[in-house]
Amino acid sequence: MENDSRSQIEVIGRLREARLEAAVEQRDRALEEASSATDDGRGRRWTLLYKRALVHWRRAAWSATAVSRWVTRVSEKATFGLLDEKLLTPLSFLVSLIVAATPFAFLGLAAQRLNEVAQRFNDLVSLASGFLLAAVYLLTVFFFLPWRPYLWLGDYRSTLDEGARKSSDGTGTGRLGRSRVLGLHLFNELHHPDRDTGRLEAGRGEKGTLPPPAHRIAVSALLDDLHRLYGASSLWRGGARDARPVLIYDQRELGPVGRYLVRLIEDERLRRALPDPLLLVQIRDGERPALVSESIESARYGHLPEYDGSAKTSREVRAWLRDRHLAGTLGVSRVLTTKVAPLAREARERRWHTPPAWVPTRSAWATRALGGCAVLVALVVFAQEVVNPLQKDLGFCVGEGVTKPRGVFRVDRNPDGPDTVGGAKECVGVTYGEVRFHSRLDGVIELIREQNEKVDKSGEPYVTIAHMADMSASTKEGREDYALAGVQGELFGMARAQRERNEDPGDRPMIKLLLGNAGEGWAHAETTAEEIVRRARNERLGMDRPIAAVGFGQSLVPNGVAIQKISEAFIPMVGTTATYDDVAQSGHRRHSEFYFPLAPSNSRIAEQAARWARHGVSWDGHDGPDLGLPSHTTAVAIAHDPLLAGEDEGEDEDEEEKGHEQYGPHLAERFMYFFERFRGDAWEAPEEIAGSEPPGVLLYRRGGEGDGPTLREVLEEVCTSNEPPELLYYAGRSQDFAEFYEEFQESAWKTCNEGKMTILGGDDVSKYISDEGELFESTSKSHRVFYTPLAPGDSWGVQGDGGSGLDAEDFHVEVRELVEESRTVKGESRTVKGEPPEDKEDPSYAHAVMGYDALKVVTRALPLVESEGKGAWARELLRGVGVGPAFLNSDERYEKERDELHEEIKKTRFTGLSGYIAFDSEVDGNWLEERMMQLVLAGPYMRNKDTDERQRQHVIQRCGLRHADFPEQEPECREQKGRGDEKGKKDEQERQSAPRGR
């Protein structure tokens, strides 16, 4: 046959037809076996189903041969050369002629239009020709695909005789070397009258002829298949078998064809010089010569397999090289001869049957590897989507994976807490954002984690700043709402400051935040503080060593212990909202010199609140009657009693008790002290609720905390008194204020219900009042509520620009955007027309201001990043090999930068969002006694003259330093002339010497 495309298609069509006939026979045989079977034939049903599917597939393949014939005929005619010769070139010439002749035949617009029509016609014909050629070339897939099962013929193209191949190709169009050309040539070889038989002695002499290429290809393919199935020794090549293929033949009964096959196998082994696993076992008489001899007859092929005919060496040298090569590849001794004795009687009766064994081939190994990968992926997905959420729901301390990160501990909840459930667990410790301590904080922690990752990927110098707070929820439903709102606000404020710094670090290092959870009620504050100290002392952490800390926002004894623990590592700390005067004091020692409180102290808050309560404050910031705070002559202060359940009231209270509350009782006592100092009177409470507290101070207990009076009982005594106090100062926590205000409104006595008594709250109630603005608006007609926030809970009344040009209104807008972004991260976006609605899970914006200012104190004091003397390209090269900046890479460098940071914080002087910020090192505790204070009226919804907007919270008066040289000079404010005023220092010394109560 001519070795052209048509012949190749006809051959493949006949092969497909033969394969179809074989499949039909197998199906019919399987159908007969299934119909004659006596059992249920379940296994045969699957076999029959497979045979039927095989028939349908091979019939479809055979039917596609007609398409291949059509494609072959079209591809022979529809060529680019033919189209160019018959259509494109003549048409282009015609169009060019028309374009050239048109100006002479027509004038003006007619000539122009005729040229356009001719050009468009030429483009359309070219485009149609292109589509036709593309369609034909795409359809040639029906010509190439049928030959894919025979691609292996390309491995043996050197075996085919080139001269015979050239003579059989004739005028064929197939390119030599392609599998379809080789396949058709192989069929021609099988039907060639002179090249379809072989002789046993072929190749032994100079005049001998080689075996036919078809025979050699068949034997070589057999040896290659055996090597792939049996002889592979690696996973990539396939599975190796313990046994080897064996060809056993009795030389005495072996005919000419069998002898030729054995000699041809040995001949191909010798020619290929490649090892194969086939073992030949020949049985012969002792006198008969072996068909396969011990010696290697290298003279059968005078050249190595890779010989190209260009060597000029002599025949003897080539034979010597051939012998060395064969001996090194096939071995010197290849034949083992042994005598076979007759079998014993018992061995003759034994049936030698070996059960078949499954042998993994290359495809089997690939399937197993693919299955293993699929199982591994499924396990990872299962761990991530099922195990990880389940562990989080069960309270396990895991991050993105299924194991507990380093620095996080799963501990028992505060065993002394009044709401503790037996066996309750919580997660404490430090994290860069991988572990979420409460679902309410997930969004903001995710924002901080993303910023931390950007810092790590940037390769720029950075410092690690730790934040410490109570990030655990209370075990009692609803109790954690307002407590967590403060922590949430701090985190949002710090997230804003961190992003601001990292987007434009300038010549100072970037910021990475390490979040520390002190546990519910700060019960595990010491454990978290120890982890921060341990990291700070680990030189191998480099820039991940905490160089400063912020937070510490609750006045509790465990918080003070944590401050002292971190002070031992000389780490500077900036407190956010803790106001207890001695929060940084340990025992009778001085306050920690490394702790810098941002908020005013309890004494500062109590003194100014008492001054306002005693003398009153008028307010004309609206169009209407005076809604200021009136003057009062009698007052009472109530706060939460921290006495633990089961504690004997007669015993002396231990200041180091882990659950001891420092904020409320101390603030209440200081308020009454200053109120009496301003010639006010403390309300005399009945002995059954007054206890041994100072005059005018009433302490309540929550349920399960002992035998003391509850909040309802305290209010009942106050409201039912014949001579009730004119002002009630609330110094309790925000989580109790909801119950307090509800009891106050629903009181059956008009003294409280009809507004005969004024409520003045401390700073801790800010979140509740901000969330319940409509409630206070509705009750403002019967009684008014005032409070003294540490910072505004909205854009009203904020002083300063944060030292970065960010004003109050912009700050609150950006924090709200961060809140909405955090909800998007959690998949809980509730934005309506671009404006986030009010939400009970909104953070405390007053705490956001304090968190922002606290981190700004540290970032402003950070050292300049020294140049390392390398260009940008050099830094990029070092980062590529994993070498980061040398910043903080040694104990000496870390201690130097830490101590300089401490000194710079001591010198802090700037106007933040919460007012003027500085620290007085001459005052024990670094308190700034001129810190800004604000008296706020909550409730009336009206236009405020200061902001020119309608709002529910109004600043009645401010006292303290707005700027370093601009103190407020209102009559009700303490007289101050700014920093450095001698009279202010003298007054401060007098206040410090005043009794501090508990």
Side-chain angles (χ1 to χ4, degrees):
M1 290 184 292
E2 292 291 337
N3 201 341
D4 55 12
S5 300
R6 293 193 180 186
S7 300
Q8 294 166 7
I9 290 298
E10 291 299 327
V11 169
I12 203 67
R14 294 296 180 87
L15 287 174
R16 286 184 169 179
E17 185 178 0
R19 288 163 63 87
L20 174 61
E21 291 175 355
V24 171
E25 291 179 2
Q26 294 176 10
R27 181 201 61 187
D28 295 341
R29 190 181 306 111
L31 185 61
E32 293 178 0
E33 293 177 356
S35 59
S36 61
T38 57
D39 54 1
D40 57 356
R42 181 175 302 175
R44 292 186 177 86
R45 269 187 245 136
W46 287 108
T47 303
L48 182 59
L49 182 63
Y50 167 74
K51 298 298 183 183
R52 287 175 175 172
L54 184 63
V55 170
H56 288 301
W57 173 255
R58 290 187 176 178
R59 180 173 283 116
W62 176 69
S63 302
T65 306
V67 180
S68 301
R69 293 192 184 98
W70 178 81
V71 170
T72 302
R73 295 190 183 97
V74 173
S75 61
E76 291 176 354
K77 303 296 182 183
T79 63
F80 179 78
L82 183 63
L83 285 176
D84 183 56
E85 177 185 356
K86 302 296 184 182
L87 181 62
L88 298 179
T89 299
L91 183 62
S92 298
F93 174 76
L94 182 61
V95 170
S96 301
L97 184 62
I98 293 174
V99 171
T102 296
F104 299 97
F106 301 94
L107 296 176
L109 185 62
Q112 182 179 356
R113 289 186 175 178
L114 184 60
N115 287 339
E116 292 177 356
V117 171
Q119 189 64 41
R120 289 182 180 178
F121 178 73
N122 185 33
D123 293 341
L124 288 175
V125 172
S126 300
L127 185 62
S129 301
F131 276 118
L132 177 63
L133 290 174
V136 171
Y137 289 146
L138 288 176
L139 288 174
T140 53
V141 68
F142 288 95
F143 178 75
F144 297 111
L145 284 181
W147 287 96
R148 286 189 59 81
Y150 305 99
L151 292 178
W152 59 272
L153 288 172
D155 298 336
Y156 307 103
R157 63 168 57 94
S158 61
T159 305
L160 297 172
D161 180 74
E162 187 173 350
R165 181 171 56 189
K166 288 181 180 179
S167 65
S168 62
D169 285 343
T171 58
T173 59
R175 184 172 63 85
L176 295 180
R178 292 180 177 176
S179 57
R180 58 180 183 273
V181 176
L182 295 175
L184 189 58
H185 174 68
L186 184 59
F187 277 99
N188 288 335
E189 287 291 312
L190 291 174
H191 293 83
H192 197 284
D194 298 331
R195 303 178 67 85
D196 61 345
T197 57
R199 301 198 314 271
L200 184 62
E201 300 299 325
R204 282 186 177 273
E206 290 293 331
K207 297 182 179 180
T209 58
L210 296 176
H215 298 177
R216 294 166 56 193
I217 288 176
V219 172
S220 292
L222 171 65
L223 294 177
D224 285 342
D225 289 343
L226 292 177
H227 178 68
R228 280 189 290 268
L229 293 177
Y230 289 89
S233 58
S234 65
L235 181 62
W236 183 82
R237 295 294 302 274
R241 299 193 183 191
D242 295 335
R244 289 289 181 264
V246 180
L247 175 60
I248 303 178
Y249 57 89
D250 190 345
Q251 190 172 330
R252 298 169 301 177
E253 301 178 0
L254 202 62
V257 176
R259 293 169 62 84
Y260 176 72
L261 175 61
V262 173
R263 290 297 304 173
L264 187 58
I265 291 174
E266 190 64 15
D267 188 65
E268 281 303 298
R269 282 177 165 178
L270 193 64
R271 184 188 67 81
R272 289 153 43 104
L274 296 175
D276 59 76
L278 181 62
L279 177 64
L280 298 179
V281 178
Q282 56 183 358
I283 303 173
R284 62 182 179 85
D285 296 333
E287 297 80 9
R288 188 184 300 271
L291 186 60
V292 178
S293 61
E294 169 72 24
S295 61
I296 299 176
E297 301 180 31
S298 59
R300 292 170 65 92
Y301 292 96
H303 306 289
L304 299 175
E306 62 272 15
Y307 176 71
D308 58 1
S310 61
K312 301 302 183 181
T313 56
S314 63
R315 181 183 305 174
E316 291 77 9
V317 173
R318 290 200 301 271
W320 177 71
L321 292 174
R322 179 70 173 170
D323 288 339
R324 293 182 73 248
H325 176 74
L326 293 177
T329 304
L330 303 179
V332 178
S333 177
R334 302 178 60 243
V335 177
L336 174 63
T337 303
T338 180
K339 294 183 178 181
V340 180
L343 293 177
R345 181 180 300 275
E346 58 274 9
R348 295 176 187 175
E349 298 177 355
R350 181 180 177 182
R351 301 183 62 182
W352 299 88
H353 175 71
T354 303
W358 290 100
V359 179
T361 61
R362 186 188 304 177
S363 59
W365 279 116
T367 303
R368 293 181 182 182
L370 182 62
C373 292
V375 172
L376 181 61
V377 171
L379 289 176
V380 171
V381 173
F382 178 77
Q384 188 70 23
E385 301 297 330
V386 179
V387 177
N388 182 268
L390 182 61
Q391 286 182 312
K392 291 181 179 178
D393 292 340
L394 295 176
F396 289 93
C397 306
V398 295
E400 299 300 327
V402 295
T403 59
K404 179 173 65 64
R406 187 178 181 182
V408 177
F409 313 96
R410 189 166 184 256
V411 297
D412 295 327
R413 283 191 179 272
N414 182 4
D416 298 322
D419 304 321
T420 301
V421 179
K425 301 286 185 179
E426 64 176 333
C427 301
V428 299
V430 296
T431 176
Y432 287 109
E434 302 86 356
V435 177
R436 315 296 166 80
F437 299 109
H438 190 272
S439 60
R440 180 167 180 167
L441 306 178
D442 284 356
V444 64
I445 290 180
E446 177 62 20
L447 296 180
I448 293 174
R449 186 191 67 82
E450 292 176 355
Q451 278 294 314
N452 289 340
E453 287 186 350
K454 290 180 181 179
V455 171
D456 288 332
K457 294 177 181 178
S458 70
E460 298 293 337
Y462 65 88
V463 295
T464 300
I465 301 175
H467 172 258
M468 195 163 177
D470 176 2
M471 301 184 191
S472 296
S474 171
T475 53
K476 185 175 182 180
E477 188 69 24
R479 178 61 61 80
E480 76 280 0
D481 290 348
Y482 298 109
L484 277 176
V487 179
Q488 186 184 16
E490 283 188 18
L491 292 175
F492 271 112
M494 290 192 302
R496 177 66 187 88
Q498 181 190 26
R499 181 176 294 186
E500 178 183 295
R501 164 61 63 179
N502 292 344
E503 287 178 352
D504 185 19
D507 54 1
R508 298 185 185 274
M510 301 176 76
I511 299 297
K512 189 174 178 181
L513 289 178
L514 179 67
L515 305 180
N517 180 22
E520 181 188 359
W522 293 73
H524 302 281
E526 187 173 0
T527 300
T528 304
E530 288 174 349
E531 179 63 22
I532 293 175
V533 171
R534 185 191 66 79
R535 288 174 177 248
R537 291 172 174 169
N538 188 350
E539 184 179 6
R540 292 179 298 176
L541 292 181
M543 293 182 292
D544 285 335
R545 303 170 71 177
I547 198 172
V550 296
F552 311 94
Q554 284 189 287
S555 300
L556 298 170
V557 169
N559 184 23
V561 174
I563 292 173
Q564 293 298 325
K565 181 64 65 175
I566 296 177
S567 297
E568 295 174 1
F570 311 108
I571 298 175
M573 295 162 279
V574 179
T576 51
T577 57
T579 59
Y580 178 58
D581 293 36
D582 299 327
V583 68
Q585 186 180 28
S586 177
H588 299 289
R589 294 180 293 177
R590 281 177 54 88
H591 296 77
S592 170
E593 63 175 305
F594 299 97
Y595 180 77
F596 300 90
L598 192 63
S601 65
N602 270 0
S603 296
R604 164 71 174 143
I605 296 172
E607 180 188 7
Q608 189 58 60
R611 187 184 296 270
W612 280 326
R614 178 65 186 92
H615 301 298
V617 181
S618 61
W619 181 59
D620 58 356
H622 73 106
D623 298 328
D626 184 4
L627 297 179
L629 178 68
S631 61
H632 304 84
T633 58
T634 58
V636 65
I638 66 173
H640 172 233
D641 186 355
L643 200 61
L644 301 180
E647 184 178 347
D648 188 356
E649 298 183 21
E651 296 178 359
D652 293 335
E653 297 178 12
D654 183 5
E655 288 290 334
E656 299 297 330
E657 183 61 50
K658 292 297 182 183
H660 185 67
E661 170 71 82
Q662 296 173 319
Y663 167 76
H666 181 258
L667 180 61
E669 293 171 11
R670 298 295 285 170
F671 174 83
M672 292 310 303
Y673 166 78
F674 285 111
F675 188 80
E676 292 182 313
R677 182 178 173 182
F678 298 140
R679 300 183 179 180
D681 296 326
W683 181 70
E684 296 182 2
E687 293 183 1
E688 55 269 20
I689 65 171
S692 60
E693 302 302 328
V697 177
L698 300 180
L699 301 182
Y700 64 88
R701 296 185 180 179
R702 303 184 185 122
E705 288 187 337
D707 299 331
T710 63
L711 185 58
R712 175 179 295 181
E713 293 171 346
V714 170
L715 281 177
E716 184 176 346
E717 289 294 337
V718 173
C719 295
T720 58
S721 174
N722 293 329
E723 296 181 2
E726 297 176 2
L727 180 136
L728 193 156
Y729 184 72
Y730 179 80
R733 291 291 185 181
S734 59
Q735 57 262 44
D736 298 327
F737 190 74
E739 180 185 354
F740 161 79
Y741 197 60
E742 181 180 357
E743 293 290 342
F744 192 85
Q745 294 177 81
E746 298 176 356
S747 174
W749 293 268
K750 65 179 182 179
T751 301
C752 294
N753 187 272
E754 295 184 3
K756 302 294 184 180
M757 189 183 306
T758 303
I759 297 178
L760 177 59
D763 61 274
D764 206 60
V765 301
S766 302
K767 171 61 176 173
Y768 180 82
I769 293 179
S770 297
D771 286 349
E772 305 294 341
E774 295 181 359
L775 171 63
F776 288 96
E777 178 187 357
S778 63
T779 60
S780 62
K781 298 178 182 179
S782 60
H783 56 265
R784 283 169 286 174
V785 176
F786 300 84
Y787 75 109
T788 55
L790 298 178
D794 209 328
S795 59
W796 48 264
V798 180
Q799 301 300 309
D801 61 1
S804 61
L806 182 69
D807 61 24
E809 186 175 356
D810 290 342
F811 173 77
H812 284 83
V813 169
E814 293 185 6
V815 170
R816 287 192 177 96
E817 291 176 353
L818 280 181
V819 172
E820 188 57 32
E821 183 181 345
S822 71
R823 289 172 177 166
T824 303
V825 170
K826 292 175 61 179
E828 301 176 359
S829 179
R830 294 184 287 275
T831 302
V832 180
K833 295 183 179 179
E835 296 183 0
E838 292 185 3
D839 198 307
K840 297 301 182 183
E841 287 199 359
D842 272 358
S844 168
Y845 290 95
H847 285 77
V849 170
M850 302 301 287
Y852 177 86
D853 278 352
L855 195 56
K856 287 291 292 183
V857 170
V858 179
T859 57
R860 288 172 56 89
L862 287 175
L864 298 176
V865 180
E866 298 179 1
S867 174
E868 299 179 12
K870 303 181 181 69
W873 66 271
R875 290 196 301 270
E876 293 296 331
L877 180 61
L878 290 175
R879 290 172 194 161
V881 298
V883 179
F887 187 58
L888 304 182
N889 61 347
S890 65
D891 282 337
E892 294 77 10
R893 183 73 180 272
Y894 170 81
E895 292 171 1
K896 173 180 176 293
E897 301 295 349
R898 179 200 62 196
D899 296 341
E900 290 182 359
L901 177 64
H902 176 233
E903 292 300 321
E904 289 297 321
I905 292 178
K906 290 169 64 175
K907 302 174 185 177
T908 295
R909 299 287 188 275
F910 75 100
T911 300
L913 292 173
S914 59
Y916 175 69
I917 298 175
F919 306 105
D920 194 342
S921 58
E922 297 182 6
V923 176
D924 191 15
N926 295 319
W927 296 100
L928 177 66
E929 289 301 326
E930 296 86 358
R931 193 72 167 94
M932 176 67 70
M933 287 281 300
Q934 300 183 95
L935 177 64
V936 178
L937 168 65
Y941 187 61
M942 55 190 178
R943 183 172 299 278
N944 189 297
K945 290 183 179 180
D946 293 338
T947 62
D948 197 29
E949 294 181 357
R950 294 180 61 85
Q951 56 195 52
R952 294 189 177 92
Q953 298 193 51
H954 312 270
V955 178
I956 303 301
Q957 192 177 83
R958 302 183 185 92
C959 292
L961 290 177
R962 182 180 298 191
H963 301 286
D965 55 351
F966 186 67
E968 296 286 353
Q969 298 292 351
E970 299 294 341
E972 294 80 5
C973 296
R974 188 180 67 197
E975 182 181 356
Q976 296 178 25
K977 296 182 180 180
R979 301 301 296 151
D981 176 40
E982 295 300 329
K983 183 179 184 303
K985 293 183 178 179
K986 183 177 180 181
D987 291 343
E988 175 56 30
Q989 293 174 359
E990 181 180 348
R991 281 188 296 274
Q992 288 293 321
S993 63
R996 296 178 179 270
R998 298 157 67 97

